[in-house]
Amino acid sequence: MSTKDYLEKDYYKVLGVSKTATKDEIRSSYRKLARENHPDANRDDPKAEDRFKEISEAYNVLSDENRRKEYDEARSMFGGSYRPGGGTGPGGFDMSDIFGQGGGGGGGAPGGERLSDIFGGLFGNRSRSGQATRSRRGADIETETTLNFREAADGVTRSFQLTSEAPCVTCKGTGARVGSAPRMCPKCSGTGHENTNLGGFSLSEPCSECKGRGLVVDDPCPTCTGSGRGKSTRTIQTRIPGGVSDGQRIRIKAKGAPGENGGPAGDLYIVVHVKDHPVFGRNGDNVTITVPVSFPEAALGADVRVPTLSGFPVTVKVPPGTQNGRTLRVRGKGATRKDGTIGDMLVTFEVKVPQALNDDAREALEKFRAATSDYDPRDGLEARAKGA
Ligand SMILES: [Zn+2]
Ligand SMILES: [Zn+2]
């Protein structure tokens, strides 16, 4: 509805209720009027349909708390001609007096009764499916992101562009062109489903005319082509905690699709991909690194410089007699833990053997072999192979 519509149309007058009418008063008044003016019940009155549309439009606005508020505000701000309740009928307005449907006739129009059942069904249906009033939690959204190794270890703030289902912005979800309103689906009489009799039992299916909505739109909203659904795109920023690992799915509470009618937002799930690092690896909260050492460094011991994730190398002592594959722990140089503390770095030494030797090196090694001839690294290997 445009502000112009709001200013020109007195929805309270259309529904015959006071400006302070309660939801129930508005609903019961609408039901009576809609029943009276329903096109199916007034086939020989071409104006009935217009009245019916007008009534539907008024009800669409006044039955929705937010839109009613908007409407009231627009009119109190700009509507000089608008006089609340002025002579149009106070809250106690009794429709049955006017339309003669009250205690008047025990034999009241059977057609009217049927329609009232139908309308009961329509509104029961609408409130069950939550279209009209019920608040609904927003949907969960899943997205993904790729982090480099360091971002995954330390945590990082990322922005995400999220697209979710939302009521169409142009028509506010009615599906009807602004200024018009949807009407009850004539095929299913607003129930949203149709029953096919299969001889013996009947099958209930979503109405083919209105696709289960219970409402049809004569003049569709050009933005959503009548569906009433739209997409909302938002950008959110969120912190991805440190210590996430490749393939992990993290949940960010209440950052999913917004709720409807005041319902809570859904959650956002982020599937994290972590790129491999050429040097560092991860083992839980610990960062791993393999550091090559020469045979003399391993045998004699040495101080070696080891790079860390932060970029500042540390000096690590290789103990004399270090075996290939030995792992040392360097505290506080790992990934950030959930509680904000820092994990460790696990340094694994890999003893490298030179592929080519110069004469001096060869001579020295020959001397070394002679000097260690009583050391047999395979001592007892064959015996162990036979045993067990
Ligand atoms: Zn629309
Ligand atoms: Zn239908």
Side-chain angles (χ1 to χ4, degrees), residues 168 171 221 224:
C168 168
C171 63
C221 161
C224 63

Side-chain angles (χ1 to χ4, degrees), residues 45-182:
D45 181 358
K47 286 186 176 162
E49 182 160 350
D50 289 341
R51 287 201 303 272
F52 186 78
K53 273 190 190 173
E54 204 178 39
I55 292 160
S56 302
E57 185 187 329
Y59 183 71
N60 273 337
V61 172
L62 296 188
S63 63
D64 181 317
E65 231 170 75
N66 292 331
R67 292 169 75 186
R68 183 179 179 182
K69 210 174 135 202
E70 223 176 276
Y71 174 71
D72 288 344
E73 277 167 8
R75 288 180 71 88
S76 70
M77 245 187 282
F78 306 108
S81 62
Y82 178 60
R83 283 173 295 280
T88 58
F93 198 82
D94 187 357
M95 301 301 293
S96 64
D97 286 345
I98 301 207
F99 294 96
Q101 274 233 323
E113 282 307 306
R114 196 175 51 75
L115 274 171
S116 103
D117 289 343
I118 285 162
F119 268 86
L122 169 60
F123 290 103
N125 187 2
R126 282 189 54 137
S127 61
R128 259 204 312 286
S129 65
Q131 276 181 22
T133 52
R134 218 184 65 191
S135 72
R136 233 176 61 183
R137 181 180 178 274
D140 293 337
I141 300 179
E142 188 170 294
T143 186
E144 57 184 353
T145 190
T146 300
L147 308 182
N148 69 35
F149 187 86
R150 200 170 154 188
E151 290 168 333
D154 292 343
V156 65
T157 299
R158 275 281 154 97
S159 43
F160 293 92
Q161 208 177 61
L162 304 176
T163 301
S164 53
E165 279 256 296
C168 168
V169 191
T170 308
C171 63
K172 298 207 165 71
T174 68
R177 187 183 289 273
V178 171
S180 72

Side-chain angles (χ1 to χ4, degrees), residues 186-205:
K187 181 155 192 182
C188 63
S189 307
T191 60
H193 52 258
E194 47 186 333
N195 295 312
T196 316
N197 199 327
L198 297 177
F201 66 98
S202 72
L203 187 68
S204 178
E205 286 177 307

Side-chain angles (χ1 to χ4, degrees), residues 185 187-188 192 207 209-210 214:
C185 171
K187 181 155 192 182
C188 63
C207 170
E209 181 78 24
C210 64

Side-chain angles (χ1 to χ4, degrees), residues 17 25 107 123 150 173 223 226 233 244 252 255 262 265 331 335 345 351 369:
V17 295
E25 286 168 338
F123 290 103
R150 200 170 154 188
T223 308
T233 301
V244 294
I252 313 281
K255 292 281 192 181
R331 302 222 174 263
M345 180 165 71
V351 178
R369 174 148 64 184

Side-chain angles (χ1 to χ4, degrees), residues 231-252:
K231 296 241 178 269
S232 91
T233 301
R234 327 163 270 140
T235 303
I236 65 141
Q237 281 213 332
T238 191
R239 175 92 188 152
I240 296 174
V244 294
S245 43
D246 186 48
Q248 201 177 328
R249 192 167 175 261
I250 59 174
R251 173 174 173 237
I252 313 281

